[in-house]
């Protein structure tokens, strides 16, 4: 079977944890590595969380590469914007990024920077590699800056970020991943690479509700840790639903037909009151396919199925 080669660029993060487990589990994916970015927590925490998860899942052969601390481009951010960002991140993901505890890692990250790894891997597998960023787009933008030929080498990018026809989640305009580094997002979205954008338009509505206690029924290690995570989120944060932002993005690589896509040009507002807003203009020849609708029931069933493999 010809598996799809992916790099998952991630900032774990509660929902990132589900996305990583999907990438580890799916028989249709060849996970080349995890590249780590700061976002939901500091780069130290997001790296530690990734390594701990691989240790817990007994998948320590999967390489982890540390990337940029990102977590908001402070140079272009006002103190108020920084506060919005910090309180959103702590409210959703806690101080360390995860609402569940994992074992101490038995491995460390590899000795190559994430940006280097992305470039090397894209060159090694020209036309085959799909990048799946589910955190701030800093690593991907840095890789594009360092090696512009990435535009020809990468097959496509399936990213979690933005909100085109719906409000944001950090502010009423901006979605978290884009808010963290709008300039990076602009560089990626205008790169000309084929992009599938899984934004809040499709990810926020696709959620697991508190009462859906049987969503994951099995007893695999992945299912057990996710059940613990969901229980803690529902019991300790007062939230009644958990959005499947990052898992949907991995799903979009496997089953794009579950999502309605429309071609847009997308740019990002990098200053002023609408800081971090993704502005979409319909263009049949645009490079960015924006997910504007999703079969939620089937998507959730498929995610559960992959997690149970
Ligand atoms: C995105 O931001 C983070 O909170 C999640 O991990 C997801 O990638 C949703 O806005
Ligand atoms: Ca994420």
């Amino acid at each position: 079977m010809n598996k799809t080669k992916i790099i998952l660029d991630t900032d774990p993060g509660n929902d990132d944890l589900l996305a990583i487990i999907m990438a580890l589990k799916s028989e249709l994916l060849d996970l080349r590595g995890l590249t780590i970015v700061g976002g939901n927590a500091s780069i130290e925490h997001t790296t530690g969380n990734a390594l701990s998860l691989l240790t817990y899942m007994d998948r320590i052969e999967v390489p982890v590469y540390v990337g940029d601390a990102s977590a908001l481009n402070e140079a272009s951010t006002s103190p108020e914007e920084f506060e919005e960002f910090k309180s959103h991140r702590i409210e959703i993901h806690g101080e360390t990024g995860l609402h569940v505890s994992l074992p101490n890692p038995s491995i460390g990250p590899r000795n190559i920077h994430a940006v280097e790894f992305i470039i090397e891997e894209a060159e090694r597998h020209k036309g085959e590699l799909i990048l799946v960023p589910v955190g701030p787009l800093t690593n991907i933008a840095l890789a594009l800056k360092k090696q512009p030929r990435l535009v020809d080498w990468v097959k496509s990018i399936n990213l979690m970020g933005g909100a085109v026809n719906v409000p944001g989640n950090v502010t009423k305009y901006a979605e978290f991943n884009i808010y963290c580094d709008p300039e990076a997002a602009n560089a990626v979205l205008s790169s000309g690479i084929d992009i599938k954008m899984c934004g809040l338009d499709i990810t926020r509505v696709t959620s697991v509700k508190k009462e859906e206690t049987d969503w994951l029924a099995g007893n695999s290690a992945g299912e057990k840790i996710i059940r613990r995570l969901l229980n803690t989120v529902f019991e300790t944060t007062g939230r009644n639903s958990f959005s499947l932002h990052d898992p949907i993005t991995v799903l979009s690589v496997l089953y794009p037909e579950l999502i309605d896509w429309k071609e847009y040009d997308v740019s990002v507002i990098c200053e002023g009151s609408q800081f971090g807003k993704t502005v979409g203009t319909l263009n049949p020849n645009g490079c960015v396919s924006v997910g504007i609708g999703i079969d939620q029931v089937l998507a959730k069933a498929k995610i559960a199925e992959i997690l149970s493999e």
Side-chain angles (χ1 to χ4, degrees):
M1 192 202 322
N2 232 350
K3 297 185 176 194
T4 304
K5 292 183 175 51
I6 67 163
I7 290 177
L8 189 62
D9 187 77
T10 175
D11 61 333
N14 292 312
D15 61 321
D16 299 69
L17 188 123
L18 276 73
I20 297 172
I21 298 176
M22 285 174 75
L24 294 172
K25 288 280 176 185
S26 171
E27 291 181 345
L28 302 173
L29 296 177
D30 174 6
L31 177 61
R32 308 298 302 166
L34 298 178
T35 51
I36 310 297
V37 64
N40 287 326
S42 67
I43 186 80
E44 291 76 20
H45 278 129
T46 55
T47 303
N49 292 342
L51 295 167
S52 287
L53 179 63
L54 293 176
T55 304
Y56 169 81
M57 293 293 291
D58 206 11
R59 293 294 303 274
I60 57 174
E61 81 285 2
V62 175
V64 173
Y65 302 89
V66 182
D68 196 88
S70 187
L72 208 59
N73 187 342
E74 281 188 68
S76 60
T77 309
S78 69
E80 293 75 28
E81 283 157 355
F82 196 71
E83 270 317 303
E84 296 267 19
F85 153 79
K86 248 184 21 202
S87 56
H88 176 88
R89 133 168 151 177
I90 290 170
E91 185 195 329
I92 306 291
H93 296 275
E95 289 282 353
T96 63
L98 284 183
H99 278 111
V100 71
S101 56
L102 289 165
N104 287 332
S106 65
I107 44 165
R110 302 293 168 105
N111 228 351
I112 305 175
H113 192 276
V115 168
E116 276 308 318
F117 173 69
I118 291 169
I119 295 169
E120 281 174 15
E121 201 62 12
E123 184 170 19
R124 194 173 302 132
H125 303 289
K126 289 194 186 97
E128 288 181 60
L129 182 68
I130 298 185
L131 301 179
V132 188
V134 294
L137 286 159
T138 317
N139 285 342
I140 312 298
L142 287 172
L144 273 165
K145 194 169 175 194
K146 189 153 190 204
Q147 180 45 279
R149 293 179 70 195
L150 221 54
V151 174
D152 304 314
W153 295 346
V154 164
K155 184 175 177 193
S156 63
I157 298 178
N158 289 44
L159 66 88
M160 193 286 134
V164 171
N165 297 314
V166 296
N169 58 357
V170 182
T171 67
K172 66 179 174 188
Y173 302 109
E175 181 280 327
F176 180 82
N177 289 341
I178 305 293
Y179 190 92
C180 283
D181 196 342
E183 277 154 28
N186 235 347
V188 173
L189 288 162
S190 63
S191 64
I193 297 179
D194 239 342
I195 292 179
K196 282 196 164 49
M197 177 173 165
C198 301
L200 297 181
D201 304 66
I202 55 170
T203 66
R204 204 178 206 175
V205 284
T206 315
S207 58
V208 184
K209 313 285 178 301
K210 186 176 182 179
E211 58 276 13
E212 291 178 88
T213 46
D214 59 351
W215 178 58
L216 294 178
N219 268 323
S220 65
E223 286 167 299
K224 281 186 188 159
I225 197 81
I226 294 166
R227 270 205 301 273
R228 268 176 40 209
L229 168 71
L230 292 176
N231 284 341
T232 316
V233 168
F234 295 144
E235 295 314 321
T236 64
T237 67
R239 275 184 280 146
N240 292 320
S241 73
F242 179 93
S243 291
L244 298 168
H245 305 290
D246 296 350
I248 284 168
T249 311
V250 174
L251 192 76
S252 76
V253 177
L254 296 164
Y255 302 104
E257 66 280 6
L258 296 182
I259 296 167
D260 292 334
W261 303 102
K262 264 251 173 326
E263 277 61 55
Y264 280 82
D265 288 325
V266 181
S267 61
V268 185
I269 297 178
C270 293
E271 53 193 26
S273 62
Q274 300 192 7
F275 179 89
K277 180 178 166 67
T278 42
V279 181
T281 312
L282 279 168
N283 172 4
N285 303 313
C287 285
V288 185
S289 300
V290 177
I292 54 162
I294 184 164
D295 185 333
Q296 292 176 39
V297 175
L298 212 51
K300 274 165 68 178
K302 275 283 174 206
I303 291 171
E305 184 185 308
I306 296 164
L307 293 170
S308 74
E309 276 173 14

